[in-house]
Every structure is written in structure tokens, then in C-alpha cells.
Amino acid sequence: MNHSLKPWNTFGIDRHARQVVHAENAIQLLNVWQQATSENLPVLILGEGSNVLFLEDYSGVVLINRLKGIEVSELPDAWLLHVGAGENWHSLVKYTLEKGMPGLENLALIPGCTGSSPIQNIGAYGVELQRVCAYVDCIELSTGLQKRLSAEECRFGYRDSIFKHEYQDRYVIVAVGLKLAKAWHPVLSYGDLTRLDPQTVTPQQVFDAVCHMRITKLPDPKVNGNAGSFFKNPVINSTAAEKLLAAFPSAPHYPQADGSVKLAAGWLIDQCQLKGARVGGAMVHRHQALVLINEDNATSDDVVALARYVRQQVGEKFDVWLEPEVRFIGAQGEVNAVEVIA
Ligand code: NAP
């Protein structure tokens, strides 16, 4: 257990793994997986570790997916990009804008790798990956067989996909296909973007505005470790929403197509006066209550205790029980994060 995981999780939690190995192509990746499996060791495949919390030392092999490459082809109405899983997401967003292929600008500055983007169907400022995803290429680890899943087959949902369910552990994502329409339609429904003029706005202006919002509100993981939004925005049924809104009329709420109502987890946490709340070295970020940060050498126990406290406070005040968006990793692999903080 002498391989530090600190560089491999943006939370900056100081846990260790038996081994950390990089893979630059699919063959290396499969070899490492097969070797570890033959020794009965668990394998955790990571991009940049931007959505994980290591609860304990990891007893197996952490495999860093560094499959690179961007290929662009042109269709009459769109650009089709085939992107290696290990390409950094934000660099890809910048590359597409520089090459005059807009469509990803709302997703600027999301930490992590392209290959991780379908797993939780990354989303920000009104755009989710599923809007641009054409396909995901993955390899079945036990057989080495490659498979292409259409966007529909990925079963994208709110921060969800097949890769968190049936395909978890059994498959590794090796590339993502993105289709960027040549007819650009800006999405300006969120935050400062609503102030931009849809008639004259450029993709670069949207990109700049998104970067500005993120830089001013969200902590830089290089300064204060974090994994972005710690909790999912809760989605509740219409009856529960009516009750909550009768008691708290100013609660931000967003009706969904299926009749349910999405609430803003950050607002709920803020209403409990929890910005700046601390347990050990972990703290609720002062500018954005949805983000828990590693303020001062936090341990994973500190983060878990703080998350439990936040969940309890919000639950007691609103009868809404938050669920982590961050994935919790135990000694053998992922564990149920809700059970850990319940
Ligand atoms: P915000 O603007 O303070 O809004 C709070 C929440 O209300 C957001 O999470 C968003 O839900 C929802 N919301 C705001 N305007 C909305 C609209 N016009 N229609 C529907 N829902 C709306 O949010 P923020 O924390 O600064 O984040 C801004 C965006 O970046 C959000 O889309 C957020 O999800 C995304 N983000 C994601 C992460 C992550 O780790 N996953 C981290 C930071 C930011 P949605 O989350 O459904 O968009």
C-alpha cells in the first residue's frame, strides 16, 4: 500500500493503493486488468479522479485511463468527433471552439476526462452530454470485445447512465463520439447567460461567461481539493413539492417533464446556514454550499462526517434527504454513498 492516491483524486485525500498503473492503449488496459484479476485484486479505472471520495486505502490496482486522440470528420450538417477517453474534457471544449465547432461551450471547465463524461452524463448551464453524444465505445474487460453503444443505449438520465449500472465494473470506456451540429443554437437559459443577446451572441462569449461563473463561484481544486457538486439536486414528486413550497415559497424549483420537481440542493444547504460549516479539515464552501472542500488536510472521515451533518440538517428542516453525487470508494471498490452518510 505504498502508492499515494493524493494526485489521483481532486479532493486531495491522502489514501493509498496497492498499485497505480497508467494505460495508453486498450491492450495495456486489458493486460493490467487481466493480470490483477488473475491475482484476485480489484481494479478501479479512473480518469482524473474528479468525482470520487476514497474512504479507505484501496486494496487493488488503480488504472489510469490515458487513451488519447481526437479525430474529426465532417458530415453535411455536423462535425463528428471521435475522442479518446483519456483526453482532458476542458481542453477538448477549447479545441472545438478554436476549430470553429461550437456546441460544448456550456460545459467549459468541467474537471475530468472525456471518457468519464458519459458515466454521469455531465451537465452544466442547461446542457448535458447526451445532447451532443453520438456514441460511446467500450470494451468488455473479461473478453476484450469492443462494443459501440448509441446514445440511446447509454440510457442517459440526470447524472446517470448505463455505466453506473449494468456496465459498471464490466466495461471500460475507450472513446466517445460527439456530434456537433453546424447550425449552432446557443443555450442561454441559466444564470448570467440569460443576459446575453441570442441574436448576436458568439460561442466564445458563452464560453467566457461560463468560465467566469465557474471561476467566481467554484473552488479551484488546485487550491482547495473538492469534487464539484457533492450532492445531487433532489427531484421530488408534485405532492411533496406543493407541501414544501407552501412552507418555503421562495425555494427555487424546476418542474420536470414527468411532473416531478427538481430542487436546488445548494439553496437547501444554504438555508440551514451551513456555508463555512466545518468538520476537521472539511468545509462547506463559502461561495457555493453544494461543494464540500478540503480546507485543511481533510481526511475522508472528516468529509463523510460533514456530509452526514449537512444531510441531517437539510432533512430535518425540509424533509428532503440529499444523496451524494460524488462516488464513494472503499477498500474493494465503490460502496453505497447514501448508506455511508445516512
Ligand atoms: P445555480 O445557478 O446556483 O443553480 C442552482 C441549481 O438550480 C442548479 O444546480 C440547476 O440545476 C438549477 N437551475 C438553475 N437555473 C435553472 C434553469 N434555468 N432551469 C433548470 N434548472 C436550473 O447552479 P450552480 O451550482 O452555480 O451550477 C451551475 C451549473 O453548473 C448547473 O447546471 C450545475 O448542475 C452545474 N455544475 C455541476 C457540477 C457537478 O459537479 N456536477 C458542479 C458545479 C456546477 P442543474 O444542476 O440540474 O443544472
Side-chain angles (χ1 to χ4, degrees):
M1 286 292 171
N2 52 3
H3 291 265
S4 172
L5 291 171
K6 205 167 177 177
W8 303 113
N9 72 105
T10 58
F11 241 123
I13 299 293
D14 196 13
R15 293 287 191 187
H16 290 76
R18 180 184 288 261
Q19 221 184 332
V20 178
V21 185
H22 288 57
E24 276 158 25
N25 57 54
I27 293 173
Q28 281 177 359
L29 208 146
L30 281 171
N31 283 346
V32 174
W33 188 86
Q34 275 155 8
Q35 175 70 31
T37 305
S38 70
E39 294 171 28
N40 280 324
L41 295 174
V43 179
L44 177 71
I45 300 172
L46 280 188
E48 292 176 10
S50 57
N51 201 36
V52 290
L53 178 67
F54 286 111
L55 301 180
E56 300 167 272
D57 286 342
Y58 186 68
S59 66
V61 180
V62 172
L63 182 46
I64 309 291
N65 185 338
R66 283 290 169 273
L67 276 62
K68 298 279 185 144
I70 304 176
E71 290 157 34
V72 182
S73 46
E74 191 171 356
L75 303 173
D77 59 342
W79 287 278
L80 196 57
L81 281 81
H82 180 86
V83 187
E87 291 286 346
N88 173 269
W89 176 262
H90 180 65
S91 302
L92 173 71
V93 175
K94 281 199 293 192
Y95 169 87
T96 55
L97 285 186
E98 280 160 20
K99 300 279 180 204
M101 302 181 290
L104 301 181
E105 53 286 339
N106 293 54
L107 303 175
L109 276 184
I110 295 184
C113 285
T114 304
S116 316
S117 65
I119 301 175
Q120 66 154 340
N121 184 21
I122 58 169
Y125 306 101
V127 175
E128 290 181 319
L129 183 85
Q130 72 181 101
R131 182 185 170 97
V132 289
C133 182
Y135 60 82
V136 175
D137 283 349
C138 47
I139 294 181
E140 188 176 26
L141 289 157
S142 60
T143 60
L145 291 176
Q146 183 151 338
K147 195 166 171 184
R148 175 163 293 183
L149 265 63
S150 67
E152 199 175 33
E153 287 170 322
C154 292
R155 280 200 253 125
F156 290 122
Y158 170 59
R159 302 290 182 266
D160 201 26
S161 74
I162 196 167
F163 303 106
K164 281 188 168 183
H165 304 282
E166 290 97 305
Y167 274 48
Q168 188 181 351
D169 298 329
R170 287 172 45 218
Y171 287 82
V172 57
I173 294 172
V174 290
V176 178
L178 301 173
K179 192 174 177 186
L180 302 177
K182 288 185 181 171
W184 180 62
H185 296 291
V187 178
L188 305 173
S189 51
Y190 271 54
D192 292 355
L193 301 182
T194 56
R195 294 197 214 121
L196 298 170
D197 179 352
Q199 302 307 320
T200 58
V201 72
T202 65
Q204 187 64 40
Q205 285 170 334
V206 177
F207 174 89
D208 291 342
V210 168
C211 290
H212 179 74
M213 284 189 281
R214 291 191 76 106
I215 288 166
T216 45
K217 265 177 99 170
L218 295 168
D220 179 355
K222 292 191 189 93
V223 180
N224 283 119
N226 72 85
S229 300
F230 194 89
F231 298 100
K232 292 182 203 168
N233 285 327
V235 179
I236 60 177
N237 66 39
S238 55
T239 317
E242 267 171 38
K243 200 172 148 207
L244 186 133
L245 289 166
F248 302 98
S250 61
H253 57 285
Y254 303 93
Q256 305 295 289
D258 64 359
S260 61
V261 177
K262 183 179 73 183
L263 304 172
W267 185 89
L268 299 171
I269 298 168
D270 196 11
Q271 291 302 299
C272 298
Q273 316 296 331
L274 289 173
K275 276 182 179 159
R278 268 185 88 145
V279 174
M283 189 171 92
V284 179
H285 188 48
R286 290 189 195 280
H287 300 303
Q288 166 54 291
L290 195 48
V291 181
L292 304 189
I293 62 171
N294 181 348
E295 171 68 1
D296 182 18
N297 290 314
T299 64
S300 45
D301 290 346
D302 294 341
V303 180
V304 167
L306 181 61
R308 189 178 291 129
Y309 179 67
V310 168
R311 182 176 194 267
Q312 196 62 32
Q313 295 290 303
V314 169
E316 281 170 16
K317 188 170 171 98
F318 296 104
D319 196 22
V320 171
W321 297 87
L322 297 178
E323 298 185 3
E325 180 184 292
V326 173
R327 306 180 79 177
F328 287 18
I329 312 295
Q332 297 285 324
E334 184 166 9
V335 297
N336 185 313
V338 176
E339 283 171 14
V340 173
I341 65 164

mmCIF file of all heavy atoms in Angstrom, residues 141-171:
data_model
loop_
_atom_site.group_PDB
_atom_site.id
_atom_site.type_symbol
_atom_site.label_atom_id
_atom_site.label_comp_id
_atom_site.label_asym_id
_atom_site.label_seq_id
_atom_site.Cartn_x
_atom_site.Cartn_y
_atom_site.Cartn_z
ATOM 1 N N LEU A 141 -14.294 -6.079 -20.340
ATOM 2 C CA LEU A 141 -12.986 -6.402 -19.770
ATOM 3 C C LEU A 141 -12.704 -7.903 -19.788
ATOM 4 O O LEU A 141 -11.577 -8.325 -20.051
ATOM 5 C CB LEU A 141 -12.898 -5.850 -18.348
ATOM 6 C CG LEU A 141 -12.806 -4.315 -18.301
ATOM 7 C CD1 LEU A 141 -13.270 -3.773 -16.960
ATOM 8 C CD2 LEU A 141 -11.381 -3.855 -18.590
ATOM 9 N N SER A 142 -13.712 -8.715 -19.549
ATOM 10 C CA SER A 142 -13.452 -10.153 -19.429
ATOM 11 C C SER A 142 -13.172 -10.811 -20.773
ATOM 12 O O SER A 142 -12.501 -11.840 -20.834
ATOM 13 C CB SER A 142 -14.632 -10.844 -18.748
ATOM 14 O OG SER A 142 -15.777 -10.646 -19.524
ATOM 15 N N THR A 143 -13.668 -10.224 -21.881
ATOM 16 C CA THR A 143 -13.481 -10.846 -23.193
ATOM 17 C C THR A 143 -12.601 -10.028 -24.130
ATOM 18 O O THR A 143 -12.125 -10.548 -25.140
ATOM 19 C CB THR A 143 -14.846 -11.010 -23.901
ATOM 20 O OG1 THR A 143 -15.406 -9.682 -24.053
ATOM 21 C CG2 THR A 143 -15.786 -11.879 -23.111
ATOM 22 N N GLY A 144 -12.424 -8.731 -23.836
ATOM 23 C CA GLY A 144 -11.665 -7.856 -24.730
ATOM 24 C C GLY A 144 -12.466 -7.405 -25.943
ATOM 25 O O GLY A 144 -11.943 -6.741 -26.830
ATOM 26 N N LEU A 145 -13.760 -7.765 -25.987
ATOM 27 C CA LEU A 145 -14.574 -7.397 -27.146
ATOM 28 C C LEU A 145 -15.006 -5.927 -27.072
ATOM 29 O O LEU A 145 -15.452 -5.460 -26.026
ATOM 30 C CB LEU A 145 -15.823 -8.272 -27.223
ATOM 31 C CG LEU A 145 -15.589 -9.734 -27.577
ATOM 32 C CD1 LEU A 145 -16.885 -10.511 -27.534
ATOM 33 C CD2 LEU A 145 -14.926 -9.843 -28.963
ATOM 34 N N GLN A 146 -14.853 -5.242 -28.232
ATOM 35 C CA GLN A 146 -15.252 -3.836 -28.272
ATOM 36 C C GLN A 146 -16.710 -3.728 -28.690
ATOM 37 O O GLN A 146 -17.195 -4.497 -29.515
ATOM 38 C CB GLN A 146 -14.365 -3.072 -29.252
ATOM 39 C CG GLN A 146 -14.683 -1.595 -29.267
ATOM 40 C CD GLN A 146 -13.501 -0.717 -29.617
ATOM 41 O OE1 GLN A 146 -12.356 -1.118 -29.474
ATOM 42 N NE2 GLN A 146 -13.792 0.494 -30.065
ATOM 43 N N LYS A 147 -17.393 -2.737 -28.105
ATOM 44 C CA LYS A 147 -18.809 -2.566 -28.384
ATOM 45 C C LYS A 147 -19.103 -1.078 -28.510
ATOM 46 O O LYS A 147 -18.559 -0.292 -27.728
ATOM 47 C CB LYS A 147 -19.578 -3.147 -27.190
ATOM 48 C CG LYS A 147 -21.023 -3.378 -27.423
ATOM 49 C CD LYS A 147 -21.601 -4.252 -26.329
ATOM 50 C CE LYS A 147 -23.102 -4.298 -26.459
ATOM 51 N NZ LYS A 147 -23.735 -5.033 -25.402
ATOM 52 N N ARG A 148 -19.926 -0.702 -29.472
ATOM 53 C CA ARG A 148 -20.333 0.701 -29.608
ATOM 54 C C ARG A 148 -21.776 0.860 -29.143
ATOM 55 O O ARG A 148 -22.678 0.196 -29.682
ATOM 56 C CB ARG A 148 -20.187 1.155 -31.058
ATOM 57 C CG ARG A 148 -20.708 2.554 -31.298
ATOM 58 C CD ARG A 148 -20.197 3.143 -32.594
ATOM 59 N NE ARG A 148 -18.753 3.378 -32.541
ATOM 60 C CZ ARG A 148 -18.051 3.947 -33.518
ATOM 61 N NH1 ARG A 148 -18.665 4.339 -34.618
ATOM 62 N NH2 ARG A 148 -16.751 4.132 -33.399
ATOM 63 N N LEU A 149 -21.988 1.718 -28.166
ATOM 64 C CA LEU A 149 -23.345 1.973 -27.678
ATOM 65 C C LEU A 149 -23.838 3.287 -28.264
ATOM 66 O O LEU A 149 -23.134 4.317 -28.163
ATOM 67 C CB LEU A 149 -23.354 2.099 -26.143
ATOM 68 C CG LEU A 149 -23.681 0.838 -25.348
ATOM 69 C CD1 LEU A 149 -22.635 -0.226 -25.594
ATOM 70 C CD2 LEU A 149 -23.756 1.153 -23.869
ATOM 71 N N SER A 150 -25.018 3.284 -28.858
ATOM 72 C CA SER A 150 -25.605 4.536 -29.320
ATOM 73 C C SER A 150 -25.986 5.355 -28.081
ATOM 74 O O SER A 150 -26.071 4.810 -26.972
ATOM 75 C CB SER A 150 -26.860 4.248 -30.146
ATOM 76 O OG SER A 150 -27.851 3.695 -29.290
ATOM 77 N N ALA A 151 -26.248 6.641 -28.295
ATOM 78 C CA ALA A 151 -26.634 7.493 -27.156
ATOM 79 C C ALA A 151 -27.870 6.910 -26.470
ATOM 80 O O ALA A 151 -27.970 6.914 -25.243
ATOM 81 C CB ALA A 151 -26.891 8.909 -27.640
ATOM 82 N N GLU A 152 -28.777 6.386 -27.262
ATOM 83 C CA GLU A 152 -29.999 5.822 -26.676
ATOM 84 C C GLU A 152 -29.673 4.623 -25.775
ATOM 85 O O GLU A 152 -30.211 4.489 -24.673
ATOM 86 C CB GLU A 152 -30.942 5.406 -27.794
ATOM 87 C CG GLU A 152 -32.359 5.260 -27.311
ATOM 88 C CD GLU A 152 -33.306 4.959 -28.453
ATOM 89 O OE1 GLU A 152 -32.892 4.284 -29.419
ATOM 90 O OE2 GLU A 152 -34.460 5.394 -28.350
ATOM 91 N N GLU A 153 -28.753 3.789 -26.272
ATOM 92 C CA GLU A 153 -28.366 2.602 -25.484
ATOM 93 C C GLU A 153 -27.634 2.975 -24.186
ATOM 94 O O GLU A 153 -27.559 2.173 -23.261
ATOM 95 C CB GLU A 153 -27.475 1.675 -26.328
ATOM 96 C CG GLU A 153 -28.253 0.945 -27.410
ATOM 97 C CD GLU A 153 -27.334 0.225 -28.399
ATOM 98 O OE1 GLU A 153 -26.258 0.761 -28.760
ATOM 99 O OE2 GLU A 153 -27.714 -0.860 -28.847
ATOM 100 N N CYS A 154 -27.067 4.183 -24.140
ATOM 101 C CA CYS A 154 -26.368 4.616 -22.915
ATOM 102 C C CYS A 154 -27.358 4.923 -21.789
ATOM 103 O O CYS A 154 -26.952 5.094 -20.643
ATOM 104 C CB CYS A 154 -25.514 5.851 -23.177
ATOM 105 S SG CYS A 154 -24.103 5.530 -24.243
ATOM 106 N N ARG A 155 -28.650 5.050 -22.114
ATOM 107 C CA ARG A 155 -29.702 5.328 -21.126
ATOM 108 C C ARG A 155 -29.335 6.492 -20.205
ATOM 109 O O ARG A 155 -29.291 6.373 -18.983
ATOM 110 C CB ARG A 155 -30.022 4.070 -20.313
ATOM 111 C CG ARG A 155 -30.937 3.149 -21.094
ATOM 112 C CD ARG A 155 -31.647 2.178 -20.203
ATOM 113 N NE ARG A 155 -31.089 0.859 -20.363
ATOM 114 C CZ ARG A 155 -30.622 0.108 -19.381
ATOM 115 N NH1 ARG A 155 -30.637 0.539 -18.139
ATOM 116 N NH2 ARG A 155 -30.144 -1.082 -19.631
ATOM 117 N N PHE A 156 -29.070 7.615 -20.842
ATOM 118 C CA PHE A 156 -28.706 8.799 -20.071
ATOM 119 C C PHE A 156 -29.882 9.299 -19.243
ATOM 120 O O PHE A 156 -31.030 9.285 -19.699
ATOM 121 C CB PHE A 156 -28.247 9.924 -21.008
ATOM 122 C CG PHE A 156 -26.921 9.664 -21.674
ATOM 123 C CD1 PHE A 156 -26.803 9.651 -23.055
ATOM 124 C CD2 PHE A 156 -25.783 9.428 -20.905
ATOM 125 C CE1 PHE A 156 -25.576 9.419 -23.668
ATOM 126 C CE2 PHE A 156 -24.549 9.191 -21.508
ATOM 127 C CZ PHE A 156 -24.455 9.194 -22.883
ATOM 128 N N GLY A 157 -29.576 9.722 -18.022
ATOM 129 C CA GLY A 157 -30.566 10.358 -17.162
ATOM 130 C C GLY A 157 -29.889 11.497 -16.433
ATOM 131 O O GLY A 157 -28.754 11.861 -16.775
ATOM 132 N N TYR A 158 -30.529 12.037 -15.411
ATOM 133 C CA TYR A 158 -29.923 13.127 -14.652
ATOM 134 C C TYR A 158 -28.722 12.585 -13.864
ATOM 135 O O TYR A 158 -28.898 11.794 -12.950
ATOM 136 C CB TYR A 158 -30.963 13.756 -13.712
ATOM 137 C CG TYR A 158 -30.363 14.727 -12.726
ATOM 138 C CD1 TYR A 158 -29.657 15.852 -13.162
ATOM 139 C CD2 TYR A 158 -30.489 14.537 -11.362
ATOM 140 C CE1 TYR A 158 -29.085 16.725 -12.275
ATOM 141 C CE2 TYR A 158 -29.936 15.414 -10.455
ATOM 142 C CZ TYR A 158 -29.218 16.500 -10.924
ATOM 143 O OH TYR A 158 -28.653 17.366 -10.021
ATOM 144 N N ARG A 159 -27.514 12.968 -14.297
ATOM 145 C CA ARG A 159 -26.253 12.493 -13.702
ATOM 146 C C ARG A 159 -26.223 10.959 -13.651
ATOM 147 O O ARG A 159 -25.768 10.365 -12.668
ATOM 148 C CB ARG A 159 -26.075 13.043 -12.279
ATOM 149 C CG ARG A 159 -26.072 14.531 -12.175
ATOM 150 C CD ARG A 159 -24.823 15.164 -12.773
ATOM 151 N NE ARG A 159 -24.886 16.607 -12.596
ATOM 152 C CZ ARG A 159 -25.358 17.447 -13.516
ATOM 153 N NH1 ARG A 159 -25.770 16.983 -14.684
ATOM 154 N NH2 ARG A 159 -25.394 18.723 -13.296
ATOM 155 N N ASP A 160 -26.709 10.343 -14.714
ATOM 156 C CA ASP A 160 -26.853 8.893 -14.687
ATOM 157 C C ASP A 160 -26.724 8.315 -16.096
ATOM 158 O O ASP A 160 -26.977 9.001 -17.098
ATOM 159 C CB ASP A 160 -28.234 8.540 -14.105
ATOM 160 C CG ASP A 160 -28.283 7.117 -13.565
ATOM 161 O OD1 ASP A 160 -27.231 6.578 -13.190
ATOM 162 O OD2 ASP A 160 -29.391 6.542 -13.534
ATOM 163 N N SER A 161 -26.334 7.043 -16.155
ATOM 164 C CA SER A 161 -26.239 6.320 -17.422
ATOM 165 C C SER A 161 -26.097 4.836 -17.121
ATOM 166 O O SER A 161 -25.932 4.436 -15.962
ATOM 167 C CB SER A 161 -25.002 6.775 -18.209
ATOM 168 O OG SER A 161 -23.851 6.227 -17.597
ATOM 169 N N ILE A 162 -26.083 4.033 -18.170
ATOM 170 C CA ILE A 162 -25.899 2.584 -18.036
ATOM 171 C C ILE A 162 -24.539 2.259 -17.392
ATOM 172 O O ILE A 162 -24.358 1.209 -16.779
ATOM 173 C CB ILE A 162 -26.031 1.920 -19.431
ATOM 174 C CG1 ILE A 162 -26.228 0.413 -19.300
ATOM 175 C CG2 ILE A 162 -24.834 2.230 -20.326
ATOM 176 C CD1 ILE A 162 -26.673 -0.263 -20.588
ATOM 177 N N PHE A 163 -23.582 3.203 -17.501
ATOM 178 C CA PHE A 163 -22.232 2.942 -16.967
ATOM 179 C C PHE A 163 -22.185 2.998 -15.440
ATOM 180 O O PHE A 163 -21.174 2.651 -14.838
ATOM 181 C CB PHE A 163 -21.221 3.927 -17.583
ATOM 182 C CG PHE A 163 -21.230 3.852 -19.083
ATOM 183 C CD1 PHE A 163 -21.820 4.859 -19.841
ATOM 184 C CD2 PHE A 163 -20.717 2.742 -19.736
ATOM 185 C CE1 PHE A 163 -21.877 4.775 -21.219
ATOM 186 C CE2 PHE A 163 -20.766 2.643 -21.119
ATOM 187 C CZ PHE A 163 -21.349 3.660 -21.864
ATOM 188 N N LYS A 164 -23.291 3.457 -14.821
ATOM 189 C CA LYS A 164 -23.371 3.401 -13.353
ATOM 190 C C LYS A 164 -24.164 2.169 -12.921
ATOM 191 O O LYS A 164 -24.373 1.959 -11.734
ATOM 192 C CB LYS A 164 -24.077 4.645 -12.815
ATOM 193 C CG LYS A 164 -23.215 5.888 -12.737
ATOM 194 C CD LYS A 164 -23.990 6.963 -12.015
ATOM 195 C CE LYS A 164 -23.125 8.118 -11.636
ATOM 196 N NZ LYS A 164 -23.914 9.113 -10.875
ATOM 197 N N HIS A 165 -24.658 1.412 -13.885
ATOM 198 C CA HIS A 165 -25.499 0.255 -13.562
ATOM 199 C C HIS A 165 -24.923 -1.002 -14.236
ATOM 200 O O HIS A 165 -23.853 -1.424 -13.876
ATOM 201 C CB HIS A 165 -26.958 0.537 -13.944
ATOM 202 C CG HIS A 165 -27.468 1.789 -13.269
ATOM 203 N ND1 HIS A 165 -27.857 1.818 -11.957
ATOM 204 C CD2 HIS A 165 -27.564 3.070 -13.713
ATOM 205 C CE1 HIS A 165 -28.214 3.043 -11.619
ATOM 206 N NE2 HIS A 165 -28.044 3.826 -12.668
ATOM 207 N N GLU A 166 -25.643 -1.552 -15.220
ATOM 208 C CA GLU A 166 -25.217 -2.831 -15.810
ATOM 209 C C GLU A 166 -23.761 -2.820 -16.295
ATOM 210 O O GLU A 166 -23.090 -3.841 -16.275
ATOM 211 C CB GLU A 166 -26.089 -3.214 -17.021
ATOM 212 C CG GLU A 166 -27.497 -3.614 -16.692
ATOM 213 C CD GLU A 166 -28.407 -2.433 -16.876
ATOM 214 O OE1 GLU A 166 -28.134 -1.373 -16.261
ATOM 215 O OE2 GLU A 166 -29.381 -2.566 -17.624
ATOM 216 N N TYR A 167 -23.305 -1.681 -16.792
ATOM 217 C CA TYR A 167 -21.972 -1.649 -17.395
ATOM 218 C C TYR A 167 -20.877 -1.283 -16.400
ATOM 219 O O TYR A 167 -19.712 -1.233 -16.752
ATOM 220 C CB TYR A 167 -21.961 -0.688 -18.599
ATOM 221 C CG TYR A 167 -22.408 -1.365 -19.878
ATOM 222 C CD1 TYR A 167 -23.560 -2.146 -19.903
ATOM 223 C CD2 TYR A 167 -21.678 -1.246 -21.052
ATOM 224 C CE1 TYR A 167 -23.970 -2.776 -21.057
ATOM 225 C CE2 TYR A 167 -22.078 -1.874 -22.219
ATOM 226 C CZ TYR A 167 -23.230 -2.636 -22.212
ATOM 227 O OH TYR A 167 -23.624 -3.268 -23.365
ATOM 228 N N GLN A 168 -21.257 -1.015 -15.154
ATOM 229 C CA GLN A 168 -20.246 -0.663 -14.153
ATOM 230 C C GLN A 168 -19.335 -1.866 -13.908
ATOM 231 O O GLN A 168 -19.799 -3.002 -13.845
ATOM 232 C CB GLN A 168 -20.937 -0.250 -12.851
ATOM 233 C CG GLN A 168 -19.957 0.309 -11.849
ATOM 234 C CD GLN A 168 -20.623 0.703 -10.552
ATOM 235 O OE1 GLN A 168 -21.835 0.718 -10.440
ATOM 236 N NE2 GLN A 168 -19.815 1.011 -9.569
ATOM 237 N N ASP A 169 -18.060 -1.641 -13.775
ATOM 238 C CA ASP A 169 -17.045 -2.677 -13.493
ATOM 239 C C ASP A 169 -16.781 -3.626 -14.665
ATOM 240 O O ASP A 169 -15.652 -4.052 -14.857
ATOM 241 C CB ASP A 169 -17.416 -3.522 -12.251
ATOM 242 C CG ASP A 169 -17.496 -2.668 -11.001
ATOM 243 O OD1 ASP A 169 -16.738 -1.672 -10.943
ATOM 244 O OD2 ASP A 169 -18.317 -2.957 -10.127
ATOM 245 N N ARG A 170 -17.786 -3.949 -15.462
ATOM 246 C CA ARG A 170 -17.585 -4.957 -16.516
ATOM 247 C C ARG A 170 -17.003 -4.370 -17.799
ATOM 248 O O ARG A 170 -16.431 -5.073 -18.606
ATOM 249 C CB ARG A 170 -18.912 -5.647 -16.845
ATOM 250 C CG ARG A 170 -19.371 -6.603 -15.754
ATOM 251 C CD ARG A 170 -20.761 -7.115 -16.024
ATOM 252 N NE ARG A 170 -20.960 -7.523 -17.401
ATOM 253 C CZ ARG A 170 -22.085 -7.315 -18.082
ATOM 254 N NH1 ARG A 170 -23.108 -6.703 -17.528
ATOM 255 N NH2 ARG A 170 -22.198 -7.741 -19.320
ATOM 256 N N TYR A 171 -17.197 -3.085 -18.015
ATOM 257 C CA TYR A 171 -16.755 -2.452 -19.257
ATOM 258 C C TYR A 171 -15.866 -1.250 -18.955
ATOM 259 O O TYR A 171 -16.026 -0.614 -17.924
ATOM 260 C CB TYR A 171 -17.963 -1.948 -20.066
ATOM 261 C CG TYR A 171 -18.765 -3.049 -20.707
ATOM 262 C CD1 TYR A 171 -19.720 -3.749 -19.982
ATOM 263 C CD2 TYR A 171 -18.543 -3.398 -22.033
ATOM 264 C CE1 TYR A 171 -20.463 -4.769 -20.563
ATOM 265 C CE2 TYR A 171 -19.283 -4.420 -22.629
ATOM 266 C CZ TYR A 171 -20.236 -5.098 -21.897
ATOM 267 O OH TYR A 171 -20.951 -6.097 -22.490
#
